[in-house]
């Protein structure tokens, strides 16, 4: 199946897209650590030994299923691209496993942190500043494309997924994490509690509330996806499988800390906030 | 036109001397003092051109540099409320990061409204920034009374969590769910 040629954006859409990307770069330039933001001591200097150690430990403590779900070791000797390297925690795992790595990120500061993390362990990766909607890579050049918590920020996700499709070799696999719409985080915490009970929807738009609740008030824009929407976006792939994970006590006001961890794990399988999509190019 | 559309937009804005009409000259910090608060204090002093800053804290401490006075107590104390009202506060700033669902947030916003403060700051730890939630936000938000919050919130929680908990309990009993196995989590 050949990817359809993308529709040219109108001048207004192009300007809006450029503004969102610019805002993303500015946002991340001022951000210490994105994924571990609530758990990392702000006194820890960015790029220090403690920073690298703690961001990695925190990530896999928060998301213990990640190493197994991603299967870093499976990609030893294969060509892997990570779209949105962020703090470089997963990127270095691919490098340790022996993958031939490329990393793309829109934000220079992320690339610097990732490069420093790799250098500290004597590992290598080709790091490129680039845009998920126009990946700076040739057609059919990767066995695996990995993107965790990035593509929901992209103004045109369909274009980004088409790009992933383009650069994957036939039989190659993409693993993408998006935020899940049908989740406790969205319906219970954000809309029901923050929006209605706490009344934040009286002065914030729904989009701003979603941004604030998910990642911080200044986030340029965050989109959430249901399984059905994700299936449509990845429609041109030969095989698509999905899994939902991550449900924290913070998503249940008052009673969150009293709920058994096992129950949260059970509920996370259906109503968690992270939607993982594994898609295979035919 | 919806209520939201009639409110000033944006109601939250970056830290800046002109974020509130007439500037920000009187600030109350609320919470336990920590080394992190030094950074916040410096940010406030720089951003608002040397405002007068008080600290409301539950345990007595010597006034840190740059703090006009330390008030010992909590936002629930009537004496503190009188003092805060007399101080004609522009801004109330929590020293802890804003908990989006927490009851401390609710208590703080109600306190700010009760003492006539013009705004509450939203302190996002990760970004080292302070955002300002202006008065209209407070005005409309506290129109929802706490008992109503508890009632409808409780109802929502019960309605969603209880049925799912029953499903979980049954799944566990019949062996359909044996707990997560992270080491073998595959997709």
């Amino acid at each position: 199946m050949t990817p359809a040629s993308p529709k040219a954006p109108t001048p207004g859409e192009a300007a809006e897209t450029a503004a969102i990307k610019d805002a993303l770069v500015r946002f991340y330039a001022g951000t210490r650590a994105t994924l571990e933001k609530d758990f990392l001591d702000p006194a820890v200097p960015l790029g220090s030994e403690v920073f690298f150690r703690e961001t990695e430990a925190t990530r896999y403590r928060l998301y213990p299923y990640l190493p197994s779900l991603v299967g870093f070791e499976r990609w030893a000797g294969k060509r892997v691209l990570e779209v949105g390297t962020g703090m470089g925690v997963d990127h270095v795992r691919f490098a340790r496993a022996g993958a031939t790595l490329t990393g793309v990120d829109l934000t220079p500061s992320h690339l610097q942190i990732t490069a420093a993390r790799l250098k500290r362990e004597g590992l290598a990766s080709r790091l490129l500043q680039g845009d998920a909607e126009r990946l700076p890579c040739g057609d059919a050049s990767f066995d695996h494309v990995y993107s965790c918590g990035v593509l929901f920020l992209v103004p045109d996700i369909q274009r980004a997924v088409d790009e992933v499709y383009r650069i994957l070799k036939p039989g190659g696999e993409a693993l993408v994490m998006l935020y899940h719409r049908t989740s406790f985080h969205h319906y219970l915490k954000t809309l029901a509690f923050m929006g209605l009970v706490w009344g934040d929807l009286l002065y914030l738009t729904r989009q701003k509330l979603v941004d604030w609740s998910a990642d911080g008030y200044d986030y340029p824009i965050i989109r959430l996806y249901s399984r059905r929407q994700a299936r449509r976006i990845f429609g041109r792939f030969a095989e698509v499988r999905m899994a939902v994970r991550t449900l924290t006590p913070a998503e249940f006001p008052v009673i969150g800390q009293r709920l058994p961890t096992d129950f949260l794990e059970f509920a996370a399988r259906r109503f968690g906030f992270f939607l993982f999509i594994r898609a295979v190019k035919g | 036109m919806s209520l939201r559309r009639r409110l000033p937009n944006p109601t939250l804005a970056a830290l800046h001397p002109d974020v509130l009409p007439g500037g920000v000259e009187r600030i109350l910090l609320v919470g336990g003092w920590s080394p992190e608060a030094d950074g916040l204090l410096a940010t406030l002093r720089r951003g608002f051109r040397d405002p007068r800053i008080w600290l409301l804290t539950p345990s007595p401490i010597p006034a840190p540099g740059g703090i006009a006075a330390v008030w010992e107590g909590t936002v629930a104390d009537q004496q503190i409320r009188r003092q805060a009202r007399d101080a004609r506060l522009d801004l109330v700033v929590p020293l802890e990061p804003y908990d989006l669902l927490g009851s401390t947030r609710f208590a703080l916003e109600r306190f700010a409204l009760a003492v006539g403060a013009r705004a509450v700051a939203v302190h996002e730890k990760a970004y080292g920034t302070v955002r300002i939630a202006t008065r209209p936000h407070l005005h409309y938000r506290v129109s929802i009374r706490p008992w109503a919050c508890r009632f409808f919130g409780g109802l929502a929680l019960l309605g969603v969590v209880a049925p799912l908990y029953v499903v979980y309990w049954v799944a566990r009993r019949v062996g359909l769910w044996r707990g997560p196995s992270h080491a073998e989590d595959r997709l």
Side-chain angles (χ1 to χ4, degrees):
Chain A
M1 198 184 289
T2 52
S5 58
K7 196 177 63 172
T10 64
E13 285 168 347
E16 190 184 340
T17 298
I20 290 172
K21 287 176 186 168
D22 185 47
L24 271 173
V25 171
R26 273 188 285 111
F27 175 81
Y28 281 117
T31 304
R32 290 174 40 78
T34 54
L35 292 169
E36 290 74 31
K37 60 182 185 292
D38 294 333
F39 305 92
L40 198 66
D41 182 351
V44 174
L46 199 67
S48 65
E49 190 58 32
V50 178
F51 171 83
F52 287 129
R53 205 174 51 236
E54 286 301 308
T55 43
E56 183 165 354
T58 306
R59 182 165 177 79
Y60 299 118
R61 178 170 49 77
L62 290 175
Y63 317 122
Y65 53 79
L66 212 48
S68 176
L69 204 68
V70 179
F72 298 104
E73 287 74 21
R74 280 179 60 209
W75 303 103
K78 299 283 173 66
R79 287 177 58 83
V80 174
L81 169 72
E82 182 174 10
V83 181
T85 59
M87 298 290 114
V89 179
D90 291 341
H91 204 70
V92 84
R93 291 290 294 255
F94 280 114
R96 281 181 205 150
T100 306
L101 260 183
T102 303
V104 172
D105 203 297
L106 191 60
T107 313
S109 57
H110 281 172
L111 292 171
Q112 285 163 11
I113 292 170
T114 304
R117 193 187 288 277
L118 289 161
K119 188 179 168 195
R120 156 181 177 265
E121 297 190 31
L123 299 167
S125 170
R126 193 166 63 108
L127 295 173
L128 306 168
Q129 188 182 357
D131 181 342
E133 292 179 18
R134 274 188 301 273
L135 290 170
C137 312
D139 294 358
S141 48
F142 289 96
D143 299 293
H144 183 49
V145 176
Y146 175 70
S147 180
C148 189
V150 175
L151 295 190
F152 52 72
L153 299 166
V154 173
D156 186 346
I157 192 172
Q158 187 62 66
R159 193 180 289 254
V161 171
D162 287 347
E163 279 289 273
V164 170
Y165 186 91
R166 178 181 68 78
I167 63 167
L168 273 175
K169 293 176 182 173
E173 264 187 38
L175 180 62
V176 172
M177 189 279 270
L178 304 175
Y179 280 162
H180 188 210
R181 177 179 293 275
T182 318
S183 58
F184 278 132
H185 186 285
H186 181 55
Y187 284 111
L188 192 69
K189 175 186 170 181
T190 306
L191 295 185
F193 275 88
M194 288 176 64
L196 300 176
V197 176
W198 261 240
D200 289 336
L201 273 174
L202 292 174
Y203 69 103
L204 290 177
T205 61
R206 182 170 163 165
Q207 179 62 56
K208 204 68 227 166
L209 185 65
V210 167
D211 298 344
W212 193 22
S213 167
D215 279 307
Y217 187 80
D218 286 345
Y219 240 86
I221 195 161
I222 285 176
R223 293 190 176 88
L224 312 177
Y225 295 91
S226 65
R227 285 170 180 252
R228 184 180 296 181
Q229 286 170 314
R231 203 166 281 284
R232 201 167 53 236
I233 291 166
F234 285 81
R236 63 176 31 151
F237 285 81
E239 185 189 338
V240 177
R241 278 172 288 160
M242 296 188 209
V244 177
R245 298 285 183 275
T246 295
L247 183 59
T248 64
E251 280 150 41
F252 299 92
V254 187
I255 62 167
Q257 298 295 342
R258 293 181 181 85
L259 291 171
T261 312
D262 190 46
F263 168 68
L264 294 176
E265 291 283 356
F266 175 81
R269 283 347 198 221
R270 185 64 191 82
F271 300 109
F273 195 44
F274 291 1
L275 174 62
F276 289 89
I277 302 139
R278 190 183 290 283
V280 181
K281 183 175 175 177
Chain B
M1 189 186 273
S2 75
L3 176 66
R4 192 174 64 220
R5 298 263 177 253
R6 282 187 272 117
L7 294 175
N9 188 27
T11 50
L12 299 177
L15 184 66
H16 187 271
D18 302 326
V19 69
L20 296 177
V24 176
E25 291 170 359
R26 290 173 294 275
I27 298 174
L28 178 65
L29 301 177
V30 181
W33 191 260
S34 69
E36 277 176 37
D38 282 322
L40 179 66
L41 184 61
T43 306
L44 291 170
R45 292 179 65 82
R46 201 170 45 243
F48 293 127
R49 298 184 190 132
D50 283 331
R52 192 168 165 79
I53 301 176
W54 293 272
L55 169 66
L56 170 58
T57 186
S59 47
I61 58 163
I67 297 286
V70 176
W71 300 344
E72 188 192 339
T74 70
V75 293
D77 297 346
Q78 288 309 314
Q79 173 60 26
I80 293 290
R81 290 192 171 211
R82 269 193 294 277
Q83 260 174 285
R85 213 171 284 124
D86 293 344
R88 291 178 291 115
L89 298 170
D90 291 314
L91 189 62
V92 176
V93 183
L95 286 174
E96 296 300 317
Y98 219 50
D99 178 359
L100 296 180
L101 283 182
S103 54
T104 48
R105 171 186 169 184
F106 193 81
L108 188 82
E109 292 180 2
R110 290 185 66 214
F111 166 78
L113 188 73
V115 302
R118 297 167 66 209
V120 170
V122 176
H123 174 206
E124 294 194 75
K125 173 182 168 185
Y127 319 126
T129 55
V130 180
R131 307 287 146 188
I132 311 301
T134 52
R135 184 86 183 264
H137 156 209
L138 295 170
H139 176 76
Y140 289 106
R141 214 187 59 68
V142 296
S143 64
I144 300 171
R145 297 176 66 84
W147 69 261
C149 287
R150 290 195 187 107
F151 178 75
F152 289 112
L155 216 57
L157 263 182
L158 204 67
V160 171
V161 177
L164 192 67
Y165 198 89
V166 170
V167 174
Y168 157 77
W169 186 81
V170 171
R172 218 149 172 134
R173 293 287 289 188
V174 301
L176 284 174
W177 172 253
R178 293 190 174 86
S181 172
H182 294 310
E184 291 169 18
D185 206 346
R186 299 276 186 272
L187 174 57

